[in-house]
Amino acid sequence: MTVTFHGVRGSTPCHGHETHHYGGNTSCVSVRTANDVPIVFDLGTGVRYFGKQCNGTTPLRIVCLLTHLHYDHTLGLPFFEPLLRSETTLEIYAPKQPDGRTIRELFREKIKPPMFPVPLEQFAARIEFHEIGDDDFTIGNYSVRSRFVPHIGPTLGFRLGYDGASVTYLSDHQQPVGDTFSIGDGARELCEDVDLLIHDSQFTDEEFAMKQSWGHSTYAYARWVAETCRAKQLALFHHDPSRTDEMLTELTDQIACSTKVGVFAAREGQSVLVGA
Ligand SMILES: [Zn+2]
Ligand SMILES: [Zn+2]
């Protein structure tokens, strides 16, 4: 599997020389293999760049595994160029909502005038929605595991398996509040023995002390999850928009020096090969 980071920020896009190296687009990560359908985790503003890579492929079928509906994970959808073509099919797997509203309804409410010039149903592509929860299923030759994880609102994490290799995407994950780290059963089922763990690392310990209920994790907690679940590699992800390149490199070095897990900070445009 080739895992490519198209957007690595949380909360809001950012821009400027201080964030240029790691990039300013919000959450979007694609997974490709030689023969199977491309999979994309989340539809943050990074999905525009994934869309450019898809240009020229017709017909095009893409599967999106969407963690939740916060803007930083959905804002890129109407800017995803393949949606302008009738030969495109986009299948979106997203968390079912406790109030019974469908994901299609919720996107239709967001993507229409006056909030957006074109209503969702006028895009040429076919968009299909699948509402899921704690599930295990297959897409082509991929095995997919989805589990609800603690965040703000219904939120999924995903584990993708392919030909003996595995990648887990745990973008927004509320760290337990208090002195002791722990992990819920669902998140553990996603992370155990995974080859690449992409994990929320929005806050430093000092920031978390001020923002304990904002739904996110610290660098230290991401490291602890990776170690506890025996992940082989940890990609620090969902960088805070205020995190400069210099700070992020320094924090990553500190974490990498203190663990046997391979650690790197996800960077826009970076590709990682997982498995054969
Ligand atoms: Zn987020
Ligand atoms: Zn969120």
Side-chain angles (χ1 to χ4, degrees):
M1 289 186 279
T2 302
V3 177
T4 303
F5 297 93
H6 305 282
V8 297
R9 293 283 158 182
S11 306
T12 180
C14 56
H15 175 72
H17 69 277
E18 289 194 320
T19 54
H20 177 77
H21 177 70
Y22 290 100
N25 282 291
T26 64
S27 307
C28 179
V29 178
S30 69
V31 178
R32 280 181 181 271
T33 64
N35 298 314
D36 269 83
V37 60
I39 305 264
V40 64
F41 294 118
D42 281 336
L43 299 165
T45 59
V47 82
R48 268 189 71 227
Y49 300 89
F50 174 62
K52 288 181 192 301
Q53 292 182 2
C54 299
N55 281 346
T57 314
T58 44
L60 179 64
R61 179 177 167 235
I62 301 159
V63 171
C64 171
L65 301 175
L66 187 69
T67 56
H68 63 310
L69 297 172
H70 287 165
Y71 277 124
D72 53 330
H73 300 258
T74 54
L75 189 60
L77 178 65
F79 302 99
F80 185 49
E81 269 182 43
L83 295 187
L84 303 178
R85 301 199 301 269
S86 59
E87 302 84 12
T88 300
T89 301
L90 174 63
E91 287 183 50
I92 300 177
Y93 290 76
K96 55 187 160 206
Q97 303 296 300
D99 61 7
R101 286 190 295 172
T102 67
I103 299 295
R104 183 182 293 278
E105 270 178 80
L106 291 164
F107 270 109
R108 273 189 173 167
E109 278 172 26
K110 273 187 183 181
I111 303 173
K112 70 173 188 186
M115 303 298 281
F116 191 78
V118 182
L120 183 65
E121 52 271 28
Q122 281 184 19
F123 283 84
R126 180 181 172 84
I127 306 178
E128 298 172 1
F129 293 92
H130 305 273
E131 280 148 36
I132 56 171
D134 291 333
D135 286 307
D136 290 277
F137 53 101
T138 56
I139 295 170
N141 291 310
Y142 296 100
S143 64
V144 184
R145 170 168 290 177
S146 57
R147 292 291 182 270
F148 281 112
V149 295
H151 182 51
I152 297 172
T155 301
L156 294 169
F158 294 103
R159 180 181 179 127
L160 208 54
Y162 185 88
D163 199 19
S166 51
V167 55
T168 291
Y169 181 76
L170 206 37
S171 169
D172 291 41
H173 189 201
Q174 171 73 60
Q175 167 178 333
V177 175
D179 295 336
T180 319
F181 287 159
S182 62
I183 183 169
D185 290 344
R188 188 185 285 274
E189 285 171 13
L190 298 175
C191 297
E192 279 190 329
D193 300 303
V194 74
D195 292 315
L196 173 64
L197 170 61
I198 302 166
H199 196 283
D200 185 341
S201 56
Q202 180 138 354
F203 295 139
T204 63
D205 293 347
E206 295 72 28
E207 290 162 352
F208 185 74
M210 307 294 291
K211 299 173 178 176
Q212 292 188 338
S213 60
W214 288 31
H216 295 290
S217 294
T218 60
Y219 296 88
Y221 182 66
R223 174 186 58 198
W224 181 87
V225 171
E227 287 173 341
T228 301
C229 296
R230 301 171 305 279
K232 292 187 186 68
Q233 265 198 302
L234 168 64
L236 302 169
F237 188 74
H238 205 271
H239 309 311
D240 192 271
S242 68
R243 191 79 61 228
T244 65
D245 292 335
E246 196 180 347
M247 290 161 74
L248 187 46
T249 299
E250 196 180 313
L251 288 160
T252 305
D253 288 348
Q254 284 171 18
I255 292 294
C257 286
S258 63
T259 181
K260 291 193 171 100
V261 178
V263 180
F264 64 94
R267 179 173 53 80
E268 209 170 297
Q270 176 183 19
S271 289
V272 179
L273 194 61
V274 180

